[in-house]
Each structure stands twice: as structure tokens, then as C-alpha cells.
Amino acid sequence: MTSRDLILSKIRAGLGAKANDAERQAIVQNRIAAKARHLIPARVTNRTPGELLALFRGFLERESATVLELDSKQEIPSAIANYLRSNNLGARIRVGGDPTLTQLPWGSEPHLEMLLGRAQPSDEVGLTQAAAAVAETGTLVMASGPDNPVTLNYLPETHIVVVEQRNLVPAYEDAWDVIRQRFGPQSMPRTVNLISGPSRTGDIGGRLVMGAHGPRRMCVIVVRDPATS
Amino acid sequence: MSSILPGAPRVGLFVTCLVDLMRPSVGFAAVKLLEQAGCSVEVPLAQTCCGQPAYNSGDKADAAELARQTIAAFAGFDYVVAPSGSCAGMLKLHYPRLLANDAEWVGRAKEFAERVYELVSFLVDVRGMDAVDATFQGRATYHDSCSGLRELGIKDQPRRLLSSVKGLQLSEMADAEVCCGFGGTFAVKYPDISNAIVEKKTANTAAVEPDLLLAGDLGCLMNIAGKLKREGRNIAVRHVAEVLAGETSDPPIAGTK
Amino acid sequence: MQPTTQSFKQNARVALSDAQLQRALAGLPTGLVANRAAARARLPEFEDLRDIGRDIKDHTLAHLDLYLEEYERNATAAGAKVHWAATAAEARDIILRICREVNAKIVTKGKSMISEEIGLNDELQSAGMEVVETDLGEYLVQIRGETPSHIIAPAIHLTQDQVEADFRRLHTKLPKDRVLTDPAQLVGEARQVLREKFVAADVGITGANFLIAETGSSVIVTNEGNGDLTQSLARVHIALASIEKIVPTREDVSSILRLLARSATGQEFSTYTTFSTGPRRPEDPDGPEAYHVVILDNGRSEMLGTAFREVLRCIRCGACMNHCPVYGAIGGHAYGWVYPGPIGSVLTPSLIGVRDAADLPNASTFCGRCEEVCPMKIPLTKLMRHHREAEFELGGPSARYRLGLKAWAWLAKRPRLYHTTMRLVAAVLGGLGRRRGAFRSLPFAGGWTRHRDFPAPQGRTFQQLWAEHKAGAPR
């Protein structure tokens, strides 16, 4: 008997259940298929897009992230240049292959150097695009893929994330629906990272310090949805 | 003593072993308050211990026997009231669990449990008392005994009544809701840990510089009073019933005047 | 990890006189306890979510076999290799084999209580591999040869000075005259040292806060991002999870996640919550080439059919120990094994036997604060009492204690004799204690009077006085 069989039979014995119980199997299959939501907090129910954005921003700022709101993606290069300059940060930015990021007017900021591909441990600034964002707790949803190396979210000291306001959803459950639309009803990419601020630890003397292993600094650029302005 | 009208609810007082042995004045204060609330009070003789030491030590058999004895002793009363959150919790919440598999007694235990109350919550929640006619000049602080708080929801009731005591200034201590370290058998089995816990309680108590510490459970009170005395702190300790009943002429717990 | 639960009292004594530990523990009320209360106050739905969390776990446990099978199906379809380990030894063997297959020299680890439970680090180190804990708190205890003392703040018992001394002792390649007076400098140094390990690692091992049946995913939750660097940079990612970690859907885990960080640290959400499904895809620029999941039983399946099933709801938030007056007095090491505090007092005897861990469920005042804050509404005191019942049936806790207990019960069952005896005791003790009001020492009560006075009884029993009162005597 394999360990697998042993464990499953012990579980069934403990539950007083039989193998191949069609009724029990149906319960499990139905529950998974239903993807039923439980409770969605009132803080994000029946909110306007403007309210969700304000909520989202408030949480991130509380976690020491910077939030910039832009009217169009075209403004991203200059917004990033300003951010890096005003924080005395370097001008080399690692970006994945995402064309919606690489094909922005970077020429308008010629001193910025764009590096492509997966992150290197010495990268100082990383730029990624979020698949979605959750207003409930100021959380970004990053999906790994050919244009989105997962290491880009963790290795660079400064992490700049672009998210479109139309992908800002109220609750985590709404974000899963975005993922489902993109990847299929039950499929996931290698990683989905829910990120709610820069890396931190309180492990030394109970004092909170940023940049434990992941990024020390986070800048979230929200591209407003013209339809909601 | 106020006159008890005919048809007044009959309350059986569950004295508790600690009140009976250590501090009967709490029992008399309870009787006075119950009569002020318009109840007639009797004290069945067939009561001894609620069975909590046995129950919490894993001795279900003895605990169940004591439960049956207690339930039988209080048959026929409209209410069963105890000046202790821990004993009241035992009677109200744990007796039905203890006798859940006893076909003959489980119904009686549930019916009994519905009639059980801790003293102060009975006065406020059942009898609708919102003030007492008592005086105490000085600052008092209140310790929330764990069972009373978490099993029976006793929090506002003693404070409401204490706020009506003329001359009494109530100051809340930090972590009033944190355990004092008594835990019944715990204080005996793990005295050093119990001591570490009670030291925090006495420090929090002393920090508000009270004249008096109050609570609704004698176990907690004996524990904290014993520690305060060993530390040489000059803070009197009494059961809340004593102050509410205006009966503070007896020496405080572990005190002489 | 080898239990030292049998020396609980000795462990506790050491802990009580450890001034640094006591200083660290003194920070709990204004720290983690206050933070949780504040987070709860900010979410009006918190109590409803506790009911939902409990129901999700209860449903899952009642169908655990089927959800595990569904999980395995979906994980495998995404390219994961799923392994089943009935025992700790088996889990170690599986992981050792995987590491050997890739000639692993350096293994990085995200925080995993299960890996402590099975003694994984020692096994891998004995096989010649360098094992590096990357959660900062875990790293701090690892370099001291210690074990974690709290399940989410493993180094809560250490002071900044101790950390500085350890870093200077261990990080010998760094300049001796460097300044390390600030926590930020210490964190910065750890970041630098551990980053080298992340990059050099052949295998990254994480735990899993949850496994999701719907998608075949494993979930880790950190604030540092160390788990992510562990599992994304190495060639091989191994996730180690016990069978009860499974939840049905992403919606279910979302509800439970709303409780986790709030209960643990008072945060709205942990900084990094990562869902991993399969290894890197062919078109991914990074990520592990191989992804293994080791599902461990180690005694949990046996708990399902017992009164202890409810403890399998635990999501490892640590709230119970943060609020426990006993943990707050003695810290985590005193509990002698992987799981400290109230959860440890229930889980440890269930996993290693009540005989060896008898003190744990007994060292509780039953104050109930643990179950008041448990996000999954585990009835911890009820379960501790069950262990005490089992121990009592085995003849515990001690002959002397049982004698006292039996004597009291024997007397209490005989009201008339009881009342007569109490009258006598009250009179004797009342008389002896009248002058001082309390006893500095009392035979048979040495434990009590070692640290505090024993109040003197008033001298007559209530029943005695009541009888006189009824007979018309003035009070």
C-alpha cells in the first residue's frame, strides 16, 4: 500500500467515510464548481470607482508606499523619472518584456536606462505591471508570465508597479475573477503574488524596518480610467 | 431588610465553597442585595462544591456526581444565584456538557442551567437593578474574573452598579481583563508561573493607586490579595458584593482592619 | 525536533528567571495584542468571518480525502510532483532524495513549522548540505543553534544586542569596524548576507499556509518576501504542507486570509501572499524548473475521528499565544516542542502523546482568552480539558494530587460531614490567622505561600452563620 493510499484510508476511517461515495464526491465537485463567495466587507461594497481608488491609495500610503495617479500611460516615463529623481535613486530600470510598458515614450526621458528581462540581484529599480489591484487592503495582484518575471517583484530595491484603474477591483474575490478571465476557470500561472507594500520585518528588537529581503521602496502608478473621471 | 412581597421570586443561593469557608460576609452581602432586588432567598444545605476542581482535573465521574447533587439540591427554585462567575459558569455552561450523555439527567441539567446566574448580572440583567443605595469614600479598581467575563459576559454590570455608589471613584486598571493567575488548581500545580502572572496584576492594580480592589470571584481576590499583602502594598481587597451592599465593616481580604 | 516537553517545569523555571526573555514578553500587550484589537475594530465583519472560517475548515475536514485528491489532480496537471508522507521520517527521505537528485549544496528555507516538526534541517545538514533559514527571525535563531519561540515571531525572545553580537561572530567577511547600532543596519546586513544564499541556492524549501484544491496551488504568506525569493530563485522548489492545510477554493482562502494577518500582527493583509501552481512554464523567464509538494500526515489523520478534530482548523496565526497569560510568563521554548502556547498545549500531546506532554494542557488557568481570539474558533480550553481527562484515566497527574482531589470530592459528596469539617477548618485557621489576617506560610500550601500570603478565613462558615441567622440570632 502506498503512503498515499494509507493516508487516504486513514482519513476515511477517521471520518467514517467510504471510498467511492458518489454523494460525498458530488458535494466536493459542486462546491469547487460553484466558487461561492462568502462575505465581502462593507468597506468595498457599493463604492464608486473614485471611492475604491481613494481606499486603495490610503492603504498603500499607510504601508509607506508612494501612489501616483496619472491620466494616461503616456505620462509614465516622466512620472517615473520624477519619482526617481526626487528620491535620489539611480536611473537604471529593469523591466520585463511587457510591450505595454516597453513601448511607452521612454525617449522623452533619455537619461533613463531600460534593462530587459528577469531581475538580477543587483538591480536597483524594477518596473512591472499588475494584472489587477484590490481596494480592500491596497493590494496589487501580479501574475507571472513571459513578460512578467516574478523575480522583478522581489529583487530590485525599488519596485514600481503600474496598474490601470479599470483593473482596480473591490475585493480579493473580484481579482480571482480577473485571473480566471485571463487564465481559465481553474488555471493559474506559476505565481500570483498579492503584494500590499514594501518588504518589512519587526524581528529585530520589535522595531519595524523596511526592505527585509524584498523591495525597500514601492511606487504604485495608477492610470486613471477616463470613463470614471 | 426590605419587605419581600408574596409572589417574589425564590432564589436559591449557591454559596460556593470559598465564600462558605473563607468569607461568609460575601454571602450575607449577596442575600442583602437579592432581597433589595425583591427576591426571597434560601440556602439549601445539600450544597457543597460545584465540582470544578474535579472537572478541570479530568475527573468527570466525581464532577458529574457533584453536578447531580447540586442540581437536586436546587430543585424548585426560580433562580440559582452564585456570588462567583466561575462557579456560576460551571453550573450554567458546564453541567449540561458534563451530563450530556446521561439520559436521565441531561434534561434536568439544561433546565437547571437556565435558572443559574452570577450575582451581579442577575441583579442587573434579570432584576433590572441600575443603582444601589450604598456609600464608599475612595478610589476603587475592578478586576474582570475570566469565567465571569468570557463565559457569562459580565463586564458592564458591576461597573454600572458601582457607578451608583456614593463617593466611589472607579479607575480602570490596564489589562483588567487579563487573568490573575489563580486558575483554581493551576495556582497549586504551577505556583511559580501563577506568581509571575499575579505580579503583573498587582503592578497594574497599584498603578492606578486605588484604595480598594474589587472583583466578583473569591478565588481571584484571595490570589491577588495574598500577593498584594506579600508585596507590602496598602490596597484593600473586597468582593464587589460587599461594597454594593454597603457592608464594608469587616476587615478586607487578608487584612485586619 | 526532539521534544523536551517532559521538563516543562524546569524549562518554565529557567524562562521565568530569564530577564531578557521577560523584557521581550512584556512587549506583547502593547504590541501584538493591541495591534490585533485595532485591526479587528477596523473590520466590522471580523466576528462573522470567524464563523465563516470555522465553517470552511469544518466542511473541508469532513471531506478531507476528496479535497486532497482533487488538489493532487490539479497540482499534477499544472506540472507539480506531489508526494505523500505518512510519517516524519518518510517526509525527510523524500526531501533528501529530491535534494540529492539535483546535487544540492545550498538549500534555502522559508519559514515552515512542519519542517521543524520533522527535523528536516538536521537531516539535510547531516547529508552535507548547507541549510539557510531565510525568514529573518528564523535565521536569528538558527545562527544561535536555537529553536523558534513563537510561530510567527521566532526570535521574539532575542534583543538587539544579542543579534549584533551574533552577526559580528558569524559574518566574518564583513569589515570589523562596521556600525551595527540600529535595527535598520542589522536588517541591512542580513539582507546582504542572505541575498547571496538566495542566489546560490540549488533548492528552496517553503511551507504552505494553505493548499487550494480548486487550482492545485500552494500559498505562502510573509512580510519579508523571503519565501518568494526562496521559491523563485532556486532550480527546485519544494513546498511542505500537512494534510489539514487544504481549502477548497480561492474564494474560501480569501475569507480565511481576511482573518490571518489581522489575528497575527494586526495588519490588514500580509505584505506578500503568494499562490504557486506548478513549476515555471516554458515561456517564463524565471522561476523553478521543478516544483514538488510533500503532503505530510504524521498523526493528523488519526485526530480526525476524535474530539481533537477541531484543532486541525488552525491557521498558525499565533493569536492564542500572544494573548495567553502563561505564554506571556514563560515564552515559547518552555513548551518544549515546535508549537508553543495554547495551540501547542492541544496539538503537542495529540501528536507526541499525552504521557510525554502531560504538563502542557495542565499549565493553563482556563482563562479562555485564547479561544476568544482564535480566528477559527477552536475550543482550546475544552480540548485541553480532554487531554486532562485522558491523563486522569491513565493515572495522572500524580498520586499526591489525585489523593487531594479524591479526598475533596469524597467530602463534597457528603454535605453534613462537609459542613462539619469546614466549620472546624474555618475555626482553626480563622483563629490562627486573626492577628495578621493572613498566613505567610501554611503546611500543605507551600506552593501558594512561597510567593504570596494566604488570607485567613473569617472564622465561621456561611452555613453556620446562616443557620444562626435563621434561628433569629443577630448578625
Side-chain angles (χ1 to χ4, degrees):
Chain A
M1 193 188 239
T2 62
S3 290
R4 179 186 186 279
D5 293 337
L6 178 63
I7 293 171
L8 289 171
S9 70
K10 280 167 91 172
I11 291 174
R12 289 194 250 269
L15 296 175
K18 299 246 175 319
N20 303 315
D21 179 334
E23 207 183 305
R24 286 179 83 235
Q25 283 164 347
I27 290 173
V28 166
Q29 290 309 314
N30 289 341
R31 181 165 180 138
I32 290 182
K35 308 190 226 296
R37 298 176 172 206
H38 305 284
L39 178 157
I40 306 295
R43 62 164 72 161
V44 288
T45 47
N46 299 321
R47 301 275 173 234
T48 66
E51 285 168 336
L52 291 177
L53 180 53
L55 201 58
F56 177 74
R57 179 192 195 107
F59 283 121
L60 275 169
E61 286 176 344
R62 214 178 126 226
E63 297 308 311
S64 308
T66 303
V67 181
L68 304 173
E69 292 178 32
L70 304 178
D71 285 320
S72 124
K73 289 194 106 159
Q74 306 304 308
E75 297 170 35
I76 289 175
S78 54
I80 289 179
N82 282 335
Y83 172 75
L84 294 175
R85 206 176 298 128
S86 55
N87 284 283
N88 268 322
L89 297 169
R92 304 174 88 210
I93 304 173
R94 177 77 62 183
V95 61
D98 191 339
T100 59
L101 292 179
T102 55
Q103 283 168 17
L104 293 172
W106 296 103
S108 64
E109 300 292 338
H111 65 289
L112 292 179
E113 192 186 334
M114 311 301 290
L115 310 165
L116 283 185
R118 62 172 288 166
Q120 298 304 318
S122 50
D123 284 344
E124 288 175 352
V125 183
L127 172 62
T128 63
Q129 175 140 235
V134 180
E136 186 180 339
T137 48
T139 300
L140 292 144
V141 181
M142 319 297 299
S144 65
D147 297 332
N148 300 305
V150 64
T151 49
L152 214 42
N153 299 318
Y154 294 95
L155 283 175
E157 252 206 32
T158 300
H159 183 198
I160 305 176
V161 188
V162 172
V163 63
E164 297 189 42
Q165 187 183 12
R166 63 191 171 87
N167 289 327
L168 173 60
V169 298
Y172 312 121
E173 289 82 348
D174 301 305
W176 294 124
D177 284 342
V178 172
I179 296 290
R180 285 185 180 112
Q181 271 163 17
R182 205 163 129 177
F183 293 96
Q186 273 177 237
S187 299
M188 292 262 272
R190 155 64 191 171
T191 49
V192 172
N193 307 107
L194 303 186
I195 300 181
S196 307
S199 157
R200 72 214 35 233
T201 179
D203 275 335
I204 297 190
R207 292 256 306 274
L208 197 65
V209 176
M210 307 305 253
H213 292 297
R216 222 185 277 279
R217 226 171 279 105
M218 195 174 183
C219 176
V220 179
I221 297 178
V222 180
V223 181
R224 282 192 279 253
D225 184 358
T228 64
S229 305
Chain B
M1 187 166 82
S2 56
S3 57
I4 307 300
L5 302 169
R10 282 182 68 228
V11 171
L13 182 72
F14 185 82
V15 183
T16 81
C17 60
L18 286 180
V19 167
D20 182 51
L21 171 64
M22 300 294 302
R23 201 166 175 83
S25 56
V26 173
F28 281 99
V31 170
K32 181 172 176 183
L33 288 164
L34 289 165
E35 288 176 346
Q36 276 174 2
C39 301
S40 71
V41 184
E42 291 165 51
V43 185
L45 258 178
Q47 62 175 298
T48 55
C49 170
C50 68
Q52 216 178 150
Y55 182 57
N56 283 342
S57 300
D59 180 4
K60 285 202 293 193
D62 280 334
E65 251 195 85
L66 289 172
R68 289 187 284 266
Q69 176 178 286
T70 307
I71 292 169
F74 284 88
F77 288 98
D78 297 316
Y79 298 102
V80 179
V81 177
S84 159
S86 131
C87 300
M90 180 70 194
L91 268 48
K92 195 173 185 74
L93 267 51
H94 296 285
Y95 275 11
R97 290 177 195 162
L98 194 51
L99 299 173
N101 295 326
D102 185 333
E104 198 202 322
W105 281 85
V106 61
R108 289 185 69 174
K110 286 183 189 165
E111 186 278 325
F112 168 79
E114 284 183 15
R115 293 180 283 130
V116 171
Y117 288 91
E118 179 275 345
L119 173 69
V120 178
S121 62
F122 178 74
L123 296 171
V124 174
D125 298 335
V126 180
R127 299 304 294 163
M129 212 185 225
D130 58 7
V132 292
D133 185 22
T135 306
F136 181 87
Q137 297 293 347
R139 180 183 304 147
T141 190
Y142 193 86
H143 161 71
D144 292 300
S145 300
C146 297
S147 303
L149 175 67
R150 296 191 187 91
E151 291 188 329
L152 301 174
I154 299 164
K155 176 73 183 180
D156 295 327
Q157 304 92 324
R159 287 166 173 82
R160 197 177 322 165
L161 292 183
L162 284 170
S163 68
S164 73
V165 175
K166 288 177 270 297
L168 187 147
Q169 179 208 344
L170 190 62
S171 272
E172 295 288 350
M173 69 166 96
D175 285 346
E177 295 183 0
V178 175
C179 186
C180 72
F182 176 62
T185 52
F186 177 84
V188 169
K189 290 194 295 197
Y190 301 94
D192 296 333
I193 305 177
S194 173
N195 177 56
I197 298 172
V198 77
E199 272 178 351
K200 293 179 188 175
K201 180 60 65 174
T202 53
N204 283 331
T205 303
V208 294
E209 295 178 344
D211 302 298
L212 181 62
L213 167 72
L214 299 171
D217 266 80
L218 256 196
C220 304
L221 290 164
M222 284 172 58
N223 180 41
I224 305 172
K227 188 64 189 176
L228 287 169
K229 180 128 182 154
R230 179 66 59 93
E231 290 174 337
R233 299 199 206 255
N234 192 15
I235 299 169
V237 179
R238 292 182 184 280
H239 190 287
V240 65
E242 299 175 53
V243 169
L244 295 178
E247 298 288 343
T248 54
S249 49
D250 286 322
I253 299 168
T256 49
K257 52 174 170 57
Chain C
M1 181 179 157
Q2 273 301 101
T4 61
T5 47
Q6 285 169 319
S7 28
F8 176 83
K9 284 196 167 127
Q10 163 74 349
N11 296 342
R13 208 169 300 136
V14 169
L16 287 170
S17 50
D18 181 342
Q20 271 158 355
L21 172 66
Q22 292 300 321
R23 263 199 294 277
L25 293 171
L28 281 173
T30 47
L32 294 173
V33 171
N35 293 347
R36 175 201 171 268
R40 178 175 170 271
R42 283 192 297 266
L43 187 70
E45 298 89 354
F46 191 89
E47 292 303 316
D48 288 334
L49 280 165
R50 289 176 74 207
D51 288 331
I52 289 169
R54 175 203 58 209
D55 293 344
I56 291 172
K57 278 285 183 176
D58 280 349
H59 164 84
T60 311
L61 291 168
H63 301 86
L64 190 60
D65 53 322
L66 297 174
Y67 281 114
L68 283 168
E69 286 176 314
E70 179 76 16
Y71 166 79
E72 181 188 42
R73 244 192 312 275
N74 292 321
T76 306
K81 294 263 186 315
V82 177
H83 311 261
W84 299 71
T87 64
E90 232 188 293
R92 289 195 302 267
D93 286 344
I94 291 167
I95 295 174
L96 186 58
R97 184 173 37 83
I98 297 170
C99 290
R100 280 201 166 125
E101 272 167 13
V102 295
N103 261 317
K105 304 275 183 301
I106 300 179
V107 176
T108 45
K109 288 191 66 218
K111 197 151 70 64
S112 163
M113 304 314 295
I114 297 292
S115 75
E116 300 274 348
E117 192 181 309
I118 66 173
L120 180 64
N121 291 8
D122 283 344
E123 179 92 354
L124 296 178
Q125 279 161 339
S126 300
M129 299 172 207
E130 183 189 346
V131 180
V132 184
E133 292 287 348
T134 65
D135 172 282
L136 186 55
E138 290 283 345
Y139 180 70
L140 297 179
V141 298
Q142 182 186 35
I143 63 182
R144 295 172 67 82
E146 288 180 17
T147 53
S149 67
H150 187 288
I151 64 176
I152 60 146
I156 199 169
H157 59 290
L158 297 178
T159 64
Q160 190 179 320
D161 290 337
Q162 285 172 302
V163 176
E164 182 186 348
D166 290 330
F167 279 12
R168 288 198 189 282
R169 177 177 51 84
L170 198 71
H171 302 156
T172 48
K173 292 203 205 108
L174 296 173
K176 280 196 176 36
D177 57 355
R178 67 195 188 284
V179 180
L180 284 175
T181 49
D182 199 78
Q185 289 160 331
L186 290 162
V187 172
E189 179 160 317
R191 179 193 174 94
Q192 185 188 346
V193 167
L194 288 169
R195 187 158 275 221
E196 285 173 24
K197 302 296 179 187
F198 283 129
V199 169
D202 304 296
V203 176
I205 302 179
T206 66
N209 291 76
F210 306 99
L211 298 176
I212 304 180
E214 177 207 352
T215 53
S217 308
S218 60
V219 184
I220 58 167
V221 175
T222 73
N223 283 312
E224 299 175 18
N226 64 299
D228 296 281
L229 288 168
T230 297
Q231 68 166 54
S232 302
L233 289 174
R235 276 179 291 138
V236 177
H237 172 205
I238 304 175
L240 179 55
S242 45
I243 55 174
E244 82 283 9
K245 293 295 177 72
I246 198 126
V247 289
T249 65
R250 285 171 282 185
E251 277 71 18
D252 291 321
V253 85
S254 299
S255 284
I256 299 177
L257 284 170
R258 289 186 172 100
L259 294 165
L260 179 55
R262 291 185 168 99
S263 302
T265 59
Q267 291 169 279
E268 295 286 303
F269 210 57
S270 298
T271 308
Y272 301 108
T273 305
T274 295
F275 295 70
S276 306
T277 316
R280 73 196 279 176
R281 306 294 188 269
E283 63 276 14
D284 287 347
D286 55 15
E289 287 153 21
Y291 169 63
H292 297 261
V293 181
V294 180
I295 300 178
L296 176 72
D297 183 353
N298 207 26
R300 288 152 172 84
S301 59
E302 274 116 5
M303 291 167 66
L304 281 170
T306 71
F308 295 98
R309 185 195 295 195
E310 291 169 294
V311 81
L312 296 174
R313 293 187 206 140
C314 177
I315 61 174
R316 306 287 189 266
C317 71
C320 60
M321 60 198 74
N322 293 340
H323 290 77
C324 174
V326 175
Y327 179 91
I330 63 178
H333 288 150
Y335 289 80
W337 204 49
V338 180
Y339 306 101
I343 187 65
S345 293
V346 179
L347 198 51
T348 300
S350 291
L351 292 179
I352 74 171
V354 78
R355 238 189 265 267
D356 286 338
D359 272 313
L360 265 53
N362 279 293
S364 166
T365 63
F366 282 175
C367 78
R369 220 167 167 219
C370 52
E371 52 195 35
E372 195 178 46
V373 300
C374 174
M376 308 306 278
K377 292 196 156 179
I378 302 170
L380 290 159
T381 60
K382 181 181 89 167
L383 298 175
M384 282 185 240
R385 195 180 289 111
H386 276 320
H387 280 313
R388 294 185 188 186
E389 287 160 10
E391 196 204 350
F392 189 83
E393 270 173 49
L394 292 173
S398 76
R400 204 177 125 186
Y401 183 82
R402 287 176 80 99
L403 190 62
L405 206 61
K406 281 290 173 187
W408 177 257
W410 183 89
L411 195 61
K413 290 181 216 171
R414 293 158 175 79
R416 287 178 56 142
L417 184 58
Y418 176 94
H419 292 311
T420 307
T421 310
M422 292 299 113
R423 277 203 301 273
L424 191 61
V425 173
V428 170
L429 285 182
L432 289 172
R434 176 149 302 123
R435 192 183 54 80
R436 217 182 142 258
F439 297 93
R440 251 195 280 267
S441 76
L442 204 58
F444 304 112
W448 181 290
T449 51
R450 189 185 311 162
H451 299 294
R452 68 213 115 178
D453 286 4
F454 191 91
Q458 282 173 331
R460 318 275 291 289
T461 65
F462 179 83
Q463 292 284 6
Q464 189 179 8
L465 290 165
W466 181 254
E468 291 172 13
H469 163 75
K470 293 292 289 284
R475 266 201 65 217

